[in-house]
Amino acid sequence: MNFIKNNLANALTLGNLFSGCVGAVHLVLGDYQTTAICIILSLVLDFFDGFVARALKSNSNLGVQLDSLADMVSFGFVPGLTMFVALAQNSNMDFPWYCYFGFLITVFSCLRLAIFNLDEDQKYYFKGLNTPSNTVLIFGLYYAFKENQSFGFLFDNINFLLGLTVVSSWLLISPIKMIAMKFKSMKLKDNYPKLTLLIGAIIILLVFKTVGIPLVIIYYMVVSLLFQKQLK
């Protein structure tokens, strides 16, 4: 029983990694719907591995390392690969050289994860856009485009895609404070940013459905900017 207790969280983390690998393969194959399922599964596992570790008091240095390594694939490589695919599909060339710039997102995701591991201040907020949110933004835009041609102005324009790549990469390591769904206290006044985010996100998803997925991340950034002074 002790073995299961001590390693259950790590098993969930490795499940996150496995799901990210499967998602990447299906993205290359053009099966973006399976990739979407894999990303959702990785998000769920990424949330519950930390939850389980805290509940079972099985936090370990190994778990910390595994978490970052798994996130590097699911929320670092996958969004970079998404941009690579989007840039490649936008060209009439057999193999456009500029599609490699999509992996800047992967490079800066790696840098962001390393910075986060060394920064002891980010307990109740994030500095910069966290990698799961960035993945939802990038893949969410691509998914909405493939599903119903939303955001065509982005995916039909190479310059806009390259611009999005640069903005995404910068956001990952920016000094802007972002809301983290961790509660320092249960006082209502201390949780206005989280409540504003949660209520607004639900409304956006109900109104816009699939298109609302990346819009929720944009809304998340806007709300974080509005509540900068309260994030500490």
Side-chain angles (χ1 to χ4, degrees):
M1 287 300 293
N2 283 336
F3 177 82
I4 295 175
K5 175 184 175 182
N6 293 334
N7 291 282
L8 180 58
N10 292 340
L12 294 176
T13 302
L14 293 174
N16 167 17
L17 172 61
F18 181 79
S19 181
C21 292
V22 174
V25 171
H26 281 273
L27 182 58
V28 172
L29 295 175
D31 182 9
Y32 62 89
Q33 293 177 330
T34 298
T35 301
I37 294 172
C38 288
I39 290 175
I40 293 171
L41 180 58
S42 288
L43 288 167
V44 171
L45 292 172
D46 186 51
F47 172 80
F48 277 105
D49 64 358
F51 178 82
V52 168
R54 289 188 294 271
L56 298 179
K57 297 181 181 179
S58 59
N59 305 72
S60 66
N61 290 330
L62 175 62
V64 172
Q65 297 304 317
L66 286 177
D67 190 64
S68 291
L69 292 170
D71 285 356
M72 184 56 215
V73 175
S74 299
F75 310 126
F77 179 63
V78 169
L81 184 62
T82 300
M83 188 58 70
F84 173 91
V85 170
L87 285 166
Q89 291 176 348
N90 189 271
S91 174
N92 294 323
M93 298 169 60
D94 289 337
F95 194 80
W97 59 270
Y98 53 77
C99 61
Y100 285 116
F101 281 106
F103 287 116
L104 282 175
I105 295 174
T106 299
V107 171
F108 280 88
S109 294
C110 180
L111 181 57
R112 190 244 155 16
L113 289 167
I115 292 172
F116 178 79
N117 285 346
L118 296 173
D119 192 340
E120 298 181 358
D121 292 333
Q122 299 184 57
K123 292 182 179 179
Y124 298 103
Y125 67 89
F126 295 116
K127 286 181 185 176
L129 188 62
N130 59 79
T131 53
S133 294
N134 190 58
T135 301
V136 173
L137 174 63
I138 298 301
F139 185 80
L141 289 168
Y142 181 74
Y143 185 84
F145 172 70
K146 299 296 285 187
E147 279 288 284
N148 51 31
Q149 295 301 301
S150 300
F151 307 108
F153 70 95
L154 267 177
F155 291 92
D156 292 335
N157 190 305
I158 293 171
N159 291 326
F160 283 174
L161 283 176
L162 290 173
L164 176 61
T165 299
V166 172
V167 171
S168 169
S169 299
W170 177 79
L171 284 171
L172 287 163
I173 59 169
S174 73
I176 301 172
K177 293 180 181 178
M178 300 283 183
I179 298 169
M181 298 305 286
K182 297 177 181 178
F183 297 89
K184 184 184 293 187
S185 77
M186 298 308 293
K187 294 180 181 178
L188 183 61
K189 66 177 183 178
D190 292 334
N191 294 300
Y192 283 145
K194 298 178 183 66
L195 290 173
T196 303
L197 173 61
L198 182 61
I199 294 170
I202 292 172
I203 294 173
I204 290 171
L205 290 174
L206 288 174
V207 173
F208 295 101
K209 297 181 173 59
T210 301
V211 178
I213 295 172
L215 295 182
V216 165
I217 304 304
I218 296 172
Y219 174 71
Y220 165 61
M221 290 187 282
V222 171
V223 173
S224 295
L225 284 170
L226 293 175
F227 287 99
Q228 283 293 286
K229 292 183 179 179
Q230 290 185 241
L231 300 178
K232 58 185 178 179

